[in-house]
């Protein structure tokens, strides 16, 4: 009896150790998607009335849990019955990450963001101020759009995570993938809730009555938060985009053996005397691969859209 109990504890300890290792690797590999998910969801919620921000975040978070409830079993079934599909799916996810990142950068470079942002903000303000607008319906539409976007990003996270676990036992995959899915949702939407209320927190501090203890410090700190919040959001978006190229490029490199060997040899030569330099060169080359891959995919998609649009126009005439 005692030996069976000890064997059970040993089995549980081994499983938890495997899950911790797998989850750590998956978290590192999915950091780019998580950064993008965080920035995108914070942007989706911005512009709502202050008392509706947290309810909307909670509604989208519940939708995200449902998305992962669908995606995790589907991914595990693929792993169990057709594991050869994991690498192609992983490559597709990596290419999509690079495509999204390159499209973001191209949009920022080729378009004037300020007028577009101002128009979008003005539209939101007008909708909130117009008594004839059904705010409940408007909020539901926004929630549906955010949940659809989350489904795509969640699929990327699950596929990338599964790719890091392909050699593990099915039991470890089930526990680790489920843990990653829950943890990612809690972390992302917990941070989104904190970010969207950051300006409210700053405003509350800024309005601290002079009679309160430490009022001057609170007022100054609140004013600093209000000034820093927009820059924080912009920085978050930039870091998320850069991470998309890093993670997407890394996936593509690992999926193409000759390219992986070349980059490995170059980084090893660079790091012969200084290991840190080798790691930096590898990261830069993988990121560059992501940028190039994203540019190629954006070019193909753009060309396809133009050709498809021309054929539609000809058919219409």
């Amino acid at each position: 009896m005692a030996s069976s109990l000890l064997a059970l504890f040993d089995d549980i300890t081994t499983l938890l150790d495997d899950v911790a290792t797998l989850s750590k690797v998956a978290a590192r590999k999915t950091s780019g998607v998580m950064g993008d998910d965080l920035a995108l969801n914070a942007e989706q919620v911005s512009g709502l009335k202050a008392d509706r921000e947290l309810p909307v975040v909670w509604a989208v978070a519940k939708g995200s849990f449902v998305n992962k409830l669908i995606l995790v079993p589907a991914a595990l079934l693929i792993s169990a019955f057709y594991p050869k599909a994991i690498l192609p799916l992983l490559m597709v996810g990596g290419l999509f990450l690079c495509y999204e990142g390159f499209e973001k950068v191209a949009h920022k470079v080729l378009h004037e963001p300020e007028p577009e942002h101002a128009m979008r903000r003005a539209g939101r303000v007008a909708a909130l101020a117009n008594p004839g607008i059904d705010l409940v319906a408007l909020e539901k539409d926004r929630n549906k759009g955010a949940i659809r976007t989350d489904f795509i990003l969640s699929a990327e996270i699950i596929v990338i995570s599964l790719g890091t676990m392909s050699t593990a036992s099915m039991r470890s995959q089930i526990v680790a993938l489920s843990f990653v899915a829950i943890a990612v949702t809690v972390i992302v939407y917990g941070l989104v809730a904190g970010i969207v209320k950051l300006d409210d927190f700053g405003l509350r501090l800024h309005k601290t009555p002079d009679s309160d203890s430490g009022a001057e410090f609170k007022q100054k700190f609140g004013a600093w938060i209000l000034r820093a919040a927009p820059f924080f959001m912009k920085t978050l978006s930039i870091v998320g985009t850069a991470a998309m190229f890093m993670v997407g490029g890394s996936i593509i490199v690992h999926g193409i053996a000759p390219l992986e060997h070349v980059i490995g040899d170059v980084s090893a030569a660079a790091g012969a005397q200084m290991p840190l330099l080798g790691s930096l060169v590898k990261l830069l080359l993988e990121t560059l691969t992501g940028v190039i891959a994203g540019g190629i995919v954006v070019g193909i998609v753009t060309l396809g859209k133009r050709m498809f649009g021309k054929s539609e126009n000809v058919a219409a005439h």
Side-chain angles (χ1 to χ4, degrees):
M1 179 70 178
S3 60
S4 298
L5 191 60
L6 287 173
L8 177 62
F9 282 143
D10 184 60
D11 197 28
I12 292 171
T13 302
T14 303
L15 176 63
L16 291 177
D17 186 53
D18 289 344
V19 168
T21 303
L22 293 170
S23 301
K24 183 179 178 180
V25 175
R28 188 169 66 248
K29 289 290 185 180
T30 58
S31 59
V33 194
M34 286 179 64
D36 189 50
D37 199 3
L38 181 61
L40 193 59
N41 278 289
E43 175 66 20
Q44 290 270 20
V45 177
S46 66
L48 293 172
K49 287 185 176 180
D51 61 338
R52 295 304 306 158
E53 287 175 339
L54 291 183
V56 166
V57 172
W58 173 236
V60 178
K62 287 191 290 184
S64 181
F65 276 117
V66 173
N67 287 340
K68 292 180 179 68
L69 196 61
I70 297 168
L71 290 165
V72 169
L76 290 170
L77 285 172
I78 292 171
S79 179
F81 295 105
Y82 196 63
K84 289 182 180 179
I86 294 175
L87 182 58
L89 287 172
L90 202 57
M91 292 290 284
V92 169
L95 285 170
F96 187 76
L97 274 176
C98 298
Y99 165 76
E100 275 199 326
F102 197 92
E103 193 178 40
K104 274 187 177 184
V105 174
H107 187 268
K108 291 287 184 184
V109 172
L110 300 176
H111 295 77
E112 295 182 12
E114 291 304 322
E116 182 183 336
H117 180 74
M119 286 174 64
R120 189 165 61 246
R121 183 175 179 81
R124 289 174 182 172
V125 172
L128 292 172
N130 189 348
I133 296 292
D134 187 350
L135 293 179
V136 175
L138 187 68
E139 190 174 292
K140 283 183 178 179
D141 286 343
R142 178 176 287 193
N143 290 353
K144 287 178 182 176
I147 292 169
R148 281 195 299 270
T149 302
D150 175 90
F151 187 88
I152 297 170
L153 294 172
S154 294
E156 292 178 25
I157 289 170
I158 297 301
V159 170
I160 292 170
S161 299
L162 188 62
T164 66
M165 306 172 186
S166 56
T167 57
S169 67
M170 181 53 64
R171 183 179 61 173
S172 295
Q173 287 186 33
I174 291 171
V175 179
L177 198 59
S178 301
F179 174 77
V180 168
I182 294 169
V184 163
T185 307
V186 171
I187 291 169
V188 166
Y189 288 96
L191 288 173
V192 168
I195 290 169
V196 298
K197 301 306 289 183
L198 191 62
D199 52 351
D200 292 340
F201 176 65
L203 185 61
R204 188 176 300 173
L205 286 177
H206 186 57
K207 290 184 175 180
T208 301
D210 294 335
S211 57
D212 286 10
S213 60
E216 185 178 357
F217 171 77
K218 290 178 182 178
Q219 290 168 359
K220 287 182 178 179
F221 185 53
W224 179 83
I225 290 175
L226 289 172
R227 288 194 300 269
F231 295 101
F232 175 72
M233 284 295 297
K234 187 174 289 187
T235 302
L236 185 64
S237 179
I238 293 170
V239 171
T241 303
M244 290 170 80
F245 288 126
M246 291 178 194
V247 176
S250 174
I251 291 169
I252 293 166
V253 167
H254 290 308
I256 304 173
L259 182 60
E260 185 177 22
H261 289 317
V262 170
I263 289 179
D265 291 342
V266 172
S267 58
Q273 301 298 326
M274 193 183 302
L276 182 61
L277 179 61
S279 299
L280 182 61
V281 168
K282 183 181 179 183
L283 179 64
L284 289 174
L285 288 175
E286 288 179 346
T287 303
L288 179 61
T289 301
V291 173
I292 293 170
I296 292 170
V297 176
V298 167
I300 292 170
V301 171
T302 304
L303 182 62
K305 283 180 179 177
R306 287 180 180 175
M307 290 176 65
F308 185 71
K310 278 187 179 181
S311 63
E312 273 194 339
N313 291 335
V314 171
H317 287 297

